[in-house]
Amino acid sequence: MSSTAVNDSPLIDKKGGRPKTSPSPWKPKKNKKEREDFPGLRSLNGKWGYLFVAPFIVMFIIFGMFPVLYSTVIAFYEFDPLAGAGGLSLEGQTFVGFENFIYLLQDDRLYTAIGNTFDIWFWSTFPQMVISIGLAAVLRNRFLKAKTFWRTILLVPNITSVLAVAIVFGQLFGREFGIINWVLGLFGVDNIDFVEDPLASHIAIATMITWRWAGYNALIFLASMLAIPDELYESASLDGASAWQQFRYVTLPGLRNTITFTLIVGTIGGLQVFAEPLTLAGTTDGGSTHQLLTLTMFLYDSAFGASSKWGYGAAVGIIITIIVLIVSLVNFLVTRKLASGEAK
Amino acid sequence: MTTLEAKPPVIKLPRRRRPKWQKVGLGGYIALTVMALLSMFPFYWMLIVASNGTEEVSKIPPTMIPGPRFFTVIENVYKVVDFNVALMNTVIVGFTVAVAQVLFSALSGFAFAKLNFKARRGLILFVIGTMMLPSQLGIIPLYMLVSGFGWIDTLNALIVPALVTAFGVFWMRQVIDAQVPNEMLEAASIDGAGVLRIYWSIVLPIISQSSFVLGLFSFLATWNDFLWPNLVLQSPGSFTVQVAVQQLKASYFIDYALNLGGAFMATAPLLLLFVFVGRRLVSGVMDGAVKG
């Protein structure tokens, strides 16, 4: 009791002091910025805030932040889980400096994994974006019958297990007896090997991802389309804009933020693809020519596959993180540039 | 502002024009129907293969109607792995994680949205920042940590690390910020309600709908998680549904009927759940979208 009171007193002083002091020239600005959020219940002092976030922060530090930080330590060791003292101990492990990273950058599998991951990302992102926005445009229509039914049924793929879906699609994409090859055969296409052929296998994975997320993203786009005021459409329609022109000049600009958001979320998710390629390839190394090895599979294969090179696996994790950060930054810069370009 | 002034003369013209851009053509319905069929087909296909057996389905053209072998296949699934135990484990983990995430997220979401404390802004930025990090980055140390606690091959390995997530807290902060009126909190505070009472009697009832949606999403994510459970669970007694399905692959040749039977078993409970909560999930996704 007494200890919390001691801890609290400087905070109370500061909170209590702030409104009374005469505002210096820069202060009102700062206050205004804070006002955008609710400044907080005035009658309540700081201790409750800390108390309320404490369980989350403590758990988050132990199970969220600590592993992330500690993996940067492990990446500098030749970490063999069977040697040493076990648990988190570094005892008995060999410090190797940047060696893991040097080997990693010379490892062909890294570049294969990066290429595969981005190829899958490409084939799963852009067709899906078109499908989702198209569906949302239909769903937005005020005169659509059975609205809730359509919205609900489109969300079904998203709630089901990635593994179960990967197993079903693996069968559907089968070389000899798969339904997809059968349908393609009706159009005169020869049987495609959706496991061994690099491009075909990437498209197979992309199909699973698109199937899972197209409906979900359609709902996201729909929500954002419903937020575009009707007046914009009415005046565009008055100006004689066709349905396509209204879509192009009213709907699409209104979706810009949502498209960015979906792209970033999709990219972070896309760089973590794991269960689908693992199931289709059947092995953690991504198949005979590593054609299905993604970055996450590479991490998993290094650390928990045939050999247990934890230091190496941790280094792969750090490379993945660097790629995610670069891609997010590029995403951010490109959209900002597009946004300012259109403003001109 | 200007639209208000302009309204009286304009209002009649667009009314006449409206139907022109709002008709749903046949093409729209066809597109929706095709997507709906594609969405449902893999589930139907699980049933077809599982009930006909692999040989039947390898015929050309393939069978499209359910066959008689369904229960035989399910029996075979049970011979490989005890699915009841797996279902039970998954429900225990999913339910615990869902409840814990809602409680912890609402608690800190409330603090981040409505309470005044010095580190608030810094902490929330920190939380949002960590959401960018890929989840597998920490998987090796997490494995060490969990094995250090002696949790390998126990459900604790799945439950404890999942009790809180940055996403849940961020989501709850947005929800509470948008749904709980500040005036109500001020009024209650002036009336002498303490912060715990405000949280319990005002905030929680207002956000109950959104809490339910967050809980559902956590439950679904836990149910479908595969990478981590596959890593830390080793014996059939602790398997979750996804790990159990993975065991079916381990036999020496790929028995599609067996595999898709397992996939069906892993999916059917979710489809059943979806019948009851689908609409709420839809509105949950769409609400989240507007704020995001």
Side-chain angles (χ1 to χ4, degrees):
Chain A
M1 204 60 214
S2 60
S3 69
T4 48
V6 171
N7 281 341
D8 263 355
S9 50
L11 288 172
I12 296 170
D13 285 345
K14 271 182 192 168
K15 293 294 166 202
R18 192 181 271 173
K20 283 173 203 158
T21 48
S22 60
S24 61
W26 49 270
K27 249 193 175 164
K29 225 178 190 176
K30 200 184 165 200
N31 279 342
K32 202 181 163 194
K33 210 175 178 189
E34 273 178 326
R35 276 289 143 75
E36 286 167 15
D37 290 341
F38 181 54
L41 292 172
R42 207 163 300 155
S43 54
L44 302 167
N45 60 40
K47 83 176 170 196
W48 286 104
Y50 290 106
L51 209 63
F52 274 38
V53 296
F56 163 68
I57 294 291
V58 169
M59 295 287 292
F60 188 64
I61 286 174
I62 298 176
F63 293 104
M65 287 322 294
F66 169 74
V68 165
L69 294 176
Y70 201 60
S71 71
T72 50
V73 175
I74 293 174
F76 290 97
Y77 281 83
E78 188 191 315
F79 202 102
D80 180 357
L82 297 176
L88 291 165
S89 168
L90 289 170
E91 215 182 292
Q93 309 293 349
T94 330
F95 181 83
V96 292
F98 281 96
E99 218 165 89
N100 284 327
F101 292 95
I102 293 167
Y103 279 127
L104 186 57
L105 291 174
Q106 291 166 352
D107 190 337
D108 284 343
R109 288 180 302 167
L110 175 67
Y111 302 100
T112 312
I114 292 177
N116 291 343
T117 307
F118 274 94
D119 206 31
I120 293 171
W121 171 81
F122 176 85
W123 289 107
S124 60
T125 300
F126 294 100
Q128 187 200 129
M129 196 74 79
V130 173
I131 295 173
S132 298
I133 294 178
L135 282 176
V138 179
L139 288 172
R140 191 216 183 278
N141 198 300
R142 196 175 297 165
F143 294 146
L144 182 74
K145 300 257 176 10
K147 256 180 218 162
T148 318
F149 168 77
W150 296 117
R151 289 178 189 180
T152 313
I153 206 161
L154 288 176
L155 194 62
V156 173
N158 190 255
I159 64 147
T160 54
S161 120
V162 176
L163 182 64
V165 166
I167 293 172
V168 183
F169 272 87
Q171 204 276 336
L172 290 171
F173 276 113
R175 188 165 62 102
E176 300 300 334
F177 304 112
I179 258 193
I180 290 170
N181 264 327
W182 172 66
V183 172
L184 288 175
L186 297 179
F187 295 97
V189 181
D190 286 339
N191 277 8
I192 297 171
D193 195 328
F194 283 105
V195 178
E196 291 299 321
D197 184 70
L199 179 63
S201 66
H202 296 170
I203 290 179
I205 301 293
T207 309
M208 298 182 204
I209 299 170
T210 304
W211 179 80
R212 188 181 182 75
W213 290 101
Y216 179 93
N217 281 331
L219 292 181
I220 303 257
F221 285 123
L222 171 63
S224 149
M225 280 183 194
L226 289 171
I228 299 173
D230 276 354
E231 288 80 29
L232 287 180
Y233 289 101
E234 280 166 18
S235 53
S237 153
L238 268 182
D239 290 341
S242 68
W244 167 251
Q245 284 170 323
Q246 287 178 29
F247 178 75
R248 171 68 189 81
Y249 296 104
V250 179
T251 308
L252 270 190
L255 291 183
R256 197 172 45 225
N257 286 339
T258 314
I259 291 176
T260 317
F261 172 77
T262 321
L263 259 181
I264 291 178
V265 172
T267 308
I268 295 175
L271 290 173
Q272 303 183 33
V273 174
F274 176 74
E276 294 98 335
L278 177 68
T279 308
L280 198 63
T283 49
T284 51
D285 64 358
S288 51
T289 56
H290 303 308
Q291 74 277 13
L292 280 166
L293 185 73
T294 61
L295 281 165
T296 307
M297 278 173 79
F298 186 30
L299 189 163
Y300 190 91
D301 190 47
S302 309
F304 305 106
S307 59
S308 315
K309 297 176 175 169
W310 283 9
Y312 202 64
V316 176
I318 288 170
I319 298 283
I320 298 179
T321 308
I322 293 172
I323 294 174
V324 168
L325 293 179
I326 292 174
V327 170
S328 303
L329 188 70
V330 169
N331 250 328
F332 174 74
L333 291 177
V334 166
T335 11
R336 210 174 57 166
K337 194 155 189 208
L338 283 181
S340 66
E342 284 198 27
K344 279 173 206 167
Chain B
M1 312 123 248
T2 43
T3 44
L4 262 180
E5 290 160 28
K7 233 173 188 173
V10 173
I11 203 158
K12 274 169 192 168
L13 280 167
R15 278 270 158 82
R16 249 185 289 147
R17 291 269 187 151
R18 235 178 218 174
K20 210 178 178 185
W21 60 271
Q22 281 185 337
K23 258 183 270 168
V24 190
L26 188 62
Y29 283 110
I30 291 175
L32 287 179
T33 309
V34 168
M35 282 307 291
L37 288 177
L38 286 178
S39 296
M40 298 313 291
F41 180 73
F43 305 118
Y44 186 63
W45 189 244
M46 287 176 195
L47 197 62
I48 297 289
V49 179
S51 63
N52 280 301
T54 311
E55 308 81 39
E56 273 296 301
V57 185
S58 309
K59 282 192 315 198
I60 287 189
T63 320
M64 281 293 163
I65 40 170
R69 291 195 51 214
F70 183 72
F71 290 103
T72 324
V73 169
I74 298 303
E75 250 174 57
N76 290 339
V77 169
Y78 272 88
K79 275 180 201 156
V80 179
V81 58
D82 190 342
F83 237 86
N84 289 346
V85 172
L87 278 170
M88 180 91 110
N89 285 339
T90 314
V91 169
I92 291 172
V93 175
F95 192 74
T96 316
V97 167
V99 170
Q101 276 200 19
V102 166
L103 282 181
F104 286 129
S105 302
L107 207 57
S108 19
F110 172 55
F112 281 130
K114 303 291 186 187
L115 294 184
N116 201 350
F117 59 104
K118 204 181 163 200
R120 177 167 80 149
R121 184 168 286 272
L123 279 177
I124 193 73
L125 283 177
F126 166 73
V127 169
I128 294 172
T130 57
M131 284 167 64
M132 300 281 282
L133 294 174
S135 53
Q136 329 87 2
L137 174 60
I139 199 166
I140 295 169
L142 190 62
Y143 187 89
M144 298 157 105
L145 198 62
V146 162
S147 82
F149 284 127
W151 290 340
I152 295 297
D153 205 26
T154 69
L155 297 183
N156 275 346
L158 307 187
I159 295 174
V160 182
L163 289 177
V164 302
T165 59
F167 170 78
V169 170
F170 174 69
W171 204 77
M172 271 299 179
R173 189 194 93 110
Q174 303 293 89
V175 163
I176 292 172
D177 195 36
Q179 294 182 4
V180 182
N182 297 333
E183 295 75 21
M184 201 183 264
L185 299 179
E186 295 283 15
S189 173
I190 288 165
D191 286 349
V195 68
L196 275 176
R197 177 155 188 92
I198 290 178
Y199 173 69
W200 191 255
S201 318
I202 298 180
V203 177
L204 281 187
I206 293 179
I207 60 165
S208 61
Q209 290 283 327
S210 304
S211 306
F212 183 74
V213 172
L214 177 67
L216 269 178
F217 276 119
S218 318
F219 183 82
L220 291 173
T222 313
W223 183 288
N224 289 328
D225 194 14
F226 167 62
L227 172 56
W228 178 247
N230 193 41
L231 203 56
V232 294
L233 303 179
Q234 291 155 352
S235 59
S238 65
F239 282 168
T240 60
V241 168
Q242 305 304 324
V243 184
V245 171
Q246 179 70 7
Q247 302 309 309
L248 302 174
K249 284 198 81 170
S251 49
Y252 29 85
F253 76 106
I254 300 177
D255 181 345
Y256 279 117
L258 190 70
N259 271 286
L260 295 200
F264 180 81
M265 297 275 296
T267 312
L270 293 186
L271 290 180
L272 195 67
L273 178 70
F274 192 81
V275 171
F276 297 103
V277 301
R279 288 179 64 170
R280 291 172 105 177
L281 281 177
V282 168
S283 55
V285 170
M286 290 179 62
D287 283 353
V290 176
K291 278 156 225 146

